[in-house]
Amino acid sequence: EVYPKMYHTCFFLVTYMAPLCLMVLAYLQIFRKLWCRQIPGTSSVVQKKWKPQQPSAQPRGLGQSTKSKISAVAAEIKQIHARRKTARMLMVVLLVFALCYLPISILNVLKRVFGMFNHADDRETVYAWFTFSHWLVYANSAANPIIYNFLSGKFREEFKAAFSCCIFGIRSHHDERFTRGRASTESRKSLTTQISNFDNVSKLSEHVVLTNINTIPSNGTASVTHF
């Protein structure tokens, strides 16, 4: 009786507590860097490079430098908002993972380790709770794209672009095939027209050559006689 309890206790620790602790540590590090620290290469570094250039600049140059600084500060504020939004999204993903895997883990521990549902009168309720807990585990994978869609504008834009490509892909394929067939038909028509024009030109050139050949002897005789 001891070994099954030890097994399910270790199973709970390995499949839920250990991944959750690792995710908490990793996501907290990411959250701290996204929320608090300045990422190298942002507009603050550019502003530091602009400072020595201010005294030697002309008044018009100062105006341009001020406008550039204002735009740089606006870009930095926008970047800070985007990074903090990403940090909040990561925290929501972590919270959803913890909530989705918690019921099935607790129910397994209560059943396998403490034996709470072995003599339950209402079996259907227990079965419904276990079924709902298993459904939450699978729903966690479906919840992540929904979270990304609500909390990330870039993900929304790329998803719409990919979805529109999937919808209009078949139509564009048919349009492309129709265009190719039409182009090939037009090319065949143009080739036939070129061949017929070439035949007409060749016939005309043959007629001119024959006419010139017929006129050569008379001209040659006349020239000899004149000589």
Side-chain angles (χ1 to χ4, degrees):
E1 295 180 359
V2 176
Y3 289 144
K5 295 180 179 180
M6 292 178 60
Y7 169 78
H8 287 288
T9 303
C10 294
F11 185 81
F12 169 75
L13 295 175
V14 171
T15 59
Y16 181 71
M17 291 303 299
L20 184 61
C21 292
L22 290 175
M23 289 177 67
V24 167
L25 292 176
Y27 279 37
L28 283 179
Q29 291 289 329
I30 297 172
F31 181 85
R32 184 169 60 87
K33 290 186 178 181
L34 287 176
W35 194 273
C36 303
R37 291 187 179 181
Q38 182 71 27
I39 296 177
T42 55
S43 57
S44 296
V45 179
V46 179
Q47 289 179 22
K48 292 178 182 179
K49 293 181 180 179
W50 287 341
K51 285 182 180 180
Q53 300 177 2
Q54 289 182 3
S56 61
Q58 299 294 328
R60 183 177 298 178
L62 285 173
Q64 293 178 357
S65 178
T66 305
K67 290 180 181 179
S68 301
K69 283 188 176 183
I70 293 173
S71 62
V73 170
E76 186 176 1
I77 292 173
K78 185 177 180 181
Q79 187 187 41
I80 290 172
H81 284 301
R83 287 193 282 121
R84 291 188 175 182
K85 197 172 183 180
T86 303
R88 286 194 294 266
M89 183 182 67
L90 292 178
M91 291 297 104
V92 172
V93 169
L94 178 62
L95 181 63
V96 170
F97 171 80
L99 292 178
C100 287
Y101 277 83
L102 181 61
I104 190 63
S105 301
I106 292 178
L107 289 176
N108 282 329
V109 170
L110 292 176
K111 181 180 180 181
R112 304 295 181 182
V113 179
F114 297 100
M116 289 187 60
F117 304 110
N118 293 332
H119 303 287
D121 295 332
D122 194 358
R123 294 279 182 175
E124 294 180 356
T125 304
V126 175
Y127 180 77
W129 276 107
F130 272 91
T131 304
F132 179 73
S133 301
H134 280 286
W135 179 83
L136 282 179
V137 172
Y138 293 110
N140 178 68
S141 300
N144 289 334
I146 298 174
I147 295 171
Y148 298 152
N149 182 66
F150 279 102
L151 297 180
S152 177
K154 292 183 179 180
F155 182 86
R156 264 196 312 273
E157 293 175 359
E158 295 297 329
F159 181 80
K160 289 179 181 178
F163 190 70
S164 62
C165 289
C166 291
I167 290 178
F168 297 105
I170 300 175
R171 183 179 298 178
S172 62
H173 181 67
H174 286 298
D175 293 340
E176 185 178 358
R177 289 182 61 184
F178 177 75
T179 305
R180 288 181 180 177
R182 187 174 181 180
S184 62
T185 304
E186 290 178 356
S187 63
R188 285 196 297 268
K189 289 181 180 180
S190 62
L191 181 61
T192 305
T193 305
Q194 292 176 2
I195 292 172
S196 61
N197 291 333
F198 180 76
D199 292 337
N200 294 329
V201 170
S202 61
K203 290 178 181 179
L204 181 61
S205 61
E206 289 178 358
H207 178 72
V208 171
V209 170
L210 290 175
T211 305
N212 292 332
I213 291 174
N214 292 327
T215 57
I216 285 173
S218 60
N219 293 332
T221 306
S223 62
V224 170
T225 306
H226 179 71
F227 180 76

